[in-house]
Structures are given as C-alpha cells and as structure tokens.
C-alpha cells in the first residue's frame, strides 16, 4: 500500500502507510433505522465569482453524490447546514438544489429525501418581528411542498433574535405546523453548530429549552414525524427521546444529530433507539450502509465493529469550532474521488489547518474509508505541496 509523509501534532513529519480499503456489505432498505445523510454541495471552481461571497455550484457532481448516497440505501437530508445553508448557500440556490434532487430521486423509488425549510432569506435584525418570521417560514414551507418535498423545519436565526420569551417560539411553531401537509422533522440546532442560535426555545439552559420543545411537539404531534437535536450530548438526547409522544404507530421519532455518539444512540437501549439525520453520514456512507445491513440481521456486534473506527473520525471532523465541520466533509469527498477539487462554496476549504487534514487522513484510513488509497495519497500530496511540504 502507498505511503505518504504527513505532519504530526508535534509539528514534525513522519511516514504513514495506508491500509487496504474495507469492503462494506451492502443491503437494500428497509433498514431497522431511518438513516438520512445531510449531503454537501460541490462548488464550481471554474465559474467567474467572488469565492467568499458567491455560491457557484457544480450541479452534475452535486446530484451525482446524492445518487451515490441513495445507491447505498441511505436517505438524503437536503439543503441543510452540511450543504452550507447559511454559510454560503442562500435560499435561492437551496430551492434549485431541492428541485434538482427531487428530480433525481425519481430514479430511486425506494429512496427517501426531506428538505430544509427555514427563514434564511430573512436577515435577523432589530426591526424583524415574530410575524415576519412566521411569513418567512410559511414562504419556504410552501415552496418545498409545491415541489413535492417533505419538510425539515430548520431552526431560525431570525426567530432566535426576535423572540422575547418561550411563548414566541410556541406561537411561531404552532402557526407553521398547523399549515403543513405532511408531518415534518423539527431540527433543534445547537449553538456549537451556529452561535446565532444561542438561547433557542427561549432558554440558554438546554433542559429548560427542551421542555419548551417537548410542549410544542406534544401540542402538534400529528404534524411532527420526528425531532432532530444537534447538541452533541447523548444524555440530553436520550432524556428527550424518552419523553416524546407515543402512539400506535410508534409516535414521534428521535433523529440523532449527535455526531460524537451516533453509534450507541442508533443501537439504542431497553427504552428505545434513535433514528438518524447526520452530516457525518455524508463521508462515512459506505460504513453506515454496512452497519445497517448488519443491524438488519440482528448482528449488533458487526454493527459496532464497523462504526467504532468512524467515531474518532467524526469527532475529529466535528471538533470545535464545530461549525467548520463541512470542510472535513468536503475534504473526504475529494480524497475519495467524488469531486476533482478541494474548493468549497464561500471559500470554506480554508477553515481547517494542514494538521487537521493530516489527522483526518489517518483516521479515514483506519476506518477503511479511503476507497482508492493511491488516489487519496496523490491528492493529499498535492495539498501538502500547496502548504510547502515536499
């Protein structure tokens, strides 16, 4: 297997020899868990643009990656924060992304997809009212439904800025949920992912905020398929999961958004389990497919054996500042040949260091996720060269 000289945490260089990629077993849905991968977008590096300001997208490669995810049996969570929603991808581009993805979904009749609807076309500010936020949510929800899509109700920066109490959150969600055609997935994105969402649900304390969210869900349980919380705290997720409304069909689902502890949360405990909607599923999709195939056979040992080495990789990609995790996701896509360049919308490829990329390379290899080590080494050497490492 090819070797490469990589920087270390000590600031030195050392040789690293790659391992053969792992051949993950494939199976077809339905799986015992719903697994939605929040997918990234592929930038167009040849377009005339201001790279920190514009969102020029290579639509062919972007949709090809969704086809890759569907081919592995995963669903797609579209136009979410992994697609740089709010960090380069605006609502106009998000609509085009959702429309193109829904068109491609027709070739995968057993596959699933849900799309983000929020308020990101409404800039937060002192003059923004709760009624403005409601109208912004209504506009995006109507647009997604008009395209035939399912809704993931994204957290709103404008609401976090405008709200004066938990009652404002209750009012907004009640109004929006009362109008949707199909049950939605509510997304509670923590401040570690987006500092502008600090104090969401009207409380800075997560436990108090959780009660507000649970009250909203309980009041509109027929309009809520599930809730995704992204707090990177498994105990809070489990506590909320156990308090979600139940009914004859299983009730409101918990979709784990915990990119640190997803394996054990998906496996579950005696009181239940989490389904999944995760950004880390984008770079580790082959392993996820193999793990879910094992779970379909009630082979929990192989499930954990496959996912265990992906967890250190995920924790590295999502390390603080967590909002820059998209850089590691796209880096993995480049290493594995899903795109021909390491360029991102908004110039976000510059958000992590060479040391970070080098450790990511090692961890991806250990997880068996470099599908062509020769290509990965060639591309990593090119990145090293741009940083002056011969």
């Amino acid at each position: 297997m090819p070797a490469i000289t990589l920087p270390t945490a000590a600031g030195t260089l050392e040789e690293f020899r790659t391992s053969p990629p792992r051949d993950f077993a494939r199976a077809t849905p339905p799986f015992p868990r719903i697994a939605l991968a929040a997918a990234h977008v592929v930038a167009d590096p040849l377009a005339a643009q201001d790279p920190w300001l514009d969102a020029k997208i290579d639509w062919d490669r972007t949709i090809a990656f969704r086809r890759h995810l569907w081919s592995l049996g995963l669903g797609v969570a579209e136009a979410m924060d992994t697609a740089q929603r709010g960090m380069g991808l605006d609502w106009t581009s998000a609509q085009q992304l959702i429309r193109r993805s829904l068109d491609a979904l027709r070739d995968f009749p057993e596959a699933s997809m849900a799309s983000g609807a929020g308020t990101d076309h409404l800039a937060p500010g002192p003059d923004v009212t709760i009624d403005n936020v409601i109208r912004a949510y209504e506009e995006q929800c109507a647009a997604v439904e008009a395209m035939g899509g399912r809704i993931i109700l994204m957290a709103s920066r404008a609401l976090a800025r405008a709200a004066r109490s938990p009652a404002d959150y209750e009012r907004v969600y009640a109004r929006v949920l009362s109008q949707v055609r199909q049950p939605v997935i509510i997304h509670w994105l923590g401040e570690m992912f987006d500092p502008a969402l600090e104090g969401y649900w009207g409380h800075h304390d997560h436990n108090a905020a959780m009660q507000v969210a649970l009250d909203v869900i309980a009041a509109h349980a027929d309009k809520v398929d599930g809730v995704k919380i992204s707090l990177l705290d498994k105990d809070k997720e489990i506590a909320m999961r156990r308090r979600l409304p139940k009914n004859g069909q299983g009730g409101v689902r918990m979709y784990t958004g915990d990119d640190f502890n997803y394996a054990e949360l998906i496996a579950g405990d005696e009181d239940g389990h989490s389904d999944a909607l995760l950004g880390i599923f984008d770079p580790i999709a082959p392993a996820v497919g193999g793990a879910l195939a094992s779970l379909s056979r009630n082979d929990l040992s192989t499930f954990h054996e496959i996912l265990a080495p992906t967890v250190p990789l995920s924790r590295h990609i999502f390390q603080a500042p967590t909002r820059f995790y998209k850089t590691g996701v796209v880096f993995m896509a480049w290493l594995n040949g899903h795109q021909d360049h390491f360029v991102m919308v908004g110039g976000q490829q510059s958000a992590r260091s060479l040391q970070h990329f080098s450790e990511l390379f090692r961890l991806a290899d250990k997880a068996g996720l470099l599908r062509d080590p020769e290509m990965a080494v060639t591309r990593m050497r090119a990145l090293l060269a741009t940083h002056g490492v011969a």
Side-chain angles (χ1 to χ4, degrees):
M1 298 303 294
I4 185 172
T5 299
L6 295 173
T8 69
T12 60
L13 297 172
E14 69 177 11
E15 183 179 86
F16 177 78
R17 186 164 296 278
T18 56
S19 306
R22 180 160 182 172
D23 183 18
F24 297 102
R26 290 199 182 197
T28 55
F31 293 130
R33 305 287 187 271
I34 297 173
L36 300 174
H40 75 283
V41 293
V42 181
D44 181 357
L46 302 180
Q49 60 182 306
D50 293 310
W52 284 11
L53 303 176
D54 297 332
K56 302 294 187 180
I57 297 171
D58 182 336
W59 291 113
D60 290 342
R61 283 300 181 96
T62 293
I63 299 304
F65 190 78
R66 277 110 181 107
R67 292 179 177 275
H68 160 70
L69 294 172
W70 287 322
S71 74
L72 295 172
L74 276 66
V76 168
E78 190 54 277
M80 301 294 291
D81 46 300
T82 306
Q84 296 182 243
R85 189 82 176 266
M87 289 186 70
L89 187 77
D90 60 17
W91 171 231
T92 299
S93 297
Q95 289 179 81
Q96 189 172 0
L97 175 61
I98 293 167
R99 185 178 298 108
R100 287 173 179 266
S101 295
L102 285 169
D103 287 344
L105 182 64
R106 296 190 182 99
D107 295 333
F108 297 85
E110 302 302 319
S112 62
M113 176 180 144
S115 303
T119 67
D120 49 319
H121 63 298
L122 174 66
D127 297 328
V128 172
T129 68
I130 295 301
D131 285 335
N132 295 147
V133 174
I134 290 172
R135 284 193 291 270
Y137 264 129
E138 289 173 337
E139 179 182 336
Q140 292 203 12
C141 288
V144 172
E145 290 188 332
M147 288 185 273
R150 292 178 54 214
I151 291 170
I152 301 169
L153 202 60
M154 301 175 69
S156 166
R157 291 175 178 172
L159 176 55
R161 175 77 180 271
R164 296 292 176 265
S165 71
D168 286 331
Y169 288 87
E170 293 168 353
R171 178 185 165 200
V172 169
Y173 279 85
R175 178 73 171 273
V176 175
L177 290 172
S178 69
Q179 300 178 70
V180 295
R181 297 175 186 170
Q182 299 182 67
V184 308
I185 300 172
I186 293 176
H187 186 192
W188 177 8
L189 188 67
E191 63 276 5
M192 65 289 297
F193 287 89
D194 186 345
L197 298 175
E198 175 76 35
Y200 210 73
W201 299 112
H203 292 283
H204 291 276
D205 177 77
H206 287 161
N207 292 317
M210 184 185 299
Q211 184 59 58
V212 178
L214 285 165
D215 289 344
V216 167
I217 293 167
H220 308 278
D222 61 323
K223 293 297 186 78
V224 181
D225 167 64
V227 57
K228 165 187 161 70
I229 65 169
S230 300
L231 301 179
L232 302 181
D233 186 320
K234 65 177 182 180
D235 293 329
K236 290 174 183 174
E237 177 175 319
I238 292 170
M240 188 172 187
R241 184 174 77 193
R242 291 175 176 170
R243 297 172 63 191
L244 289 172
K246 303 291 191 294
N247 59 34
Q249 288 71 47
V252 175
R253 298 177 181 273
M254 171 59 74
Y255 289 87
T256 184
D258 191 334
D259 300 276
F260 285 3
N261 304 289
Y262 50 90
E264 58 184 291
L265 290 164
I266 294 168
D269 56 28
E270 64 278 3
D271 293 317
H273 64 264
S274 295
D275 293 288
L277 194 169
L278 289 164
I280 193 57
F281 279 6
D282 176 307
I284 71 166
V288 176
L292 292 176
S294 299
L295 203 58
S296 295
R297 302 189 300 270
N298 294 316
D299 184 357
L300 201 58
S301 176
T302 302
F303 170 86
H304 283 299
E305 186 266 332
I306 290 173
L307 289 185
T310 73
V311 173
L313 170 65
S314 184
R315 292 183 178 186
H316 181 74
I317 289 174
F318 283 79
Q319 69 180 218
T322 302
R323 64 187 181 276
F324 296 136
Y325 77 87
K326 298 93 169 170
T327 301
V329 169
V330 176
F331 177 66
M332 280 282 290
W334 175 57
L335 289 181
N336 279 324
H338 294 294
Q339 54 195 78
D340 295 329
H341 57 80
F342 182 36
V343 176
M344 296 177 64
V345 170
Q348 288 287 314
Q349 68 272 11
S350 64
R352 297 293 199 187
S353 69
L354 186 61
Q355 273 196 2
H356 180 89
F357 294 130
S358 298
E359 182 61 14
L360 195 161
F361 185 97
R362 295 184 186 95
L363 292 169
D365 178 83
K366 186 174 182 180
L369 286 167
L370 296 180
R371 66 177 186 174
D372 183 343
E374 290 276 3
M375 177 177 62
V377 164
T378 298
R379 294 187 169 193
M380 187 68 199
R381 283 179 179 152
L383 183 67
L384 291 166
T386 65
H387 287 76
V389 180

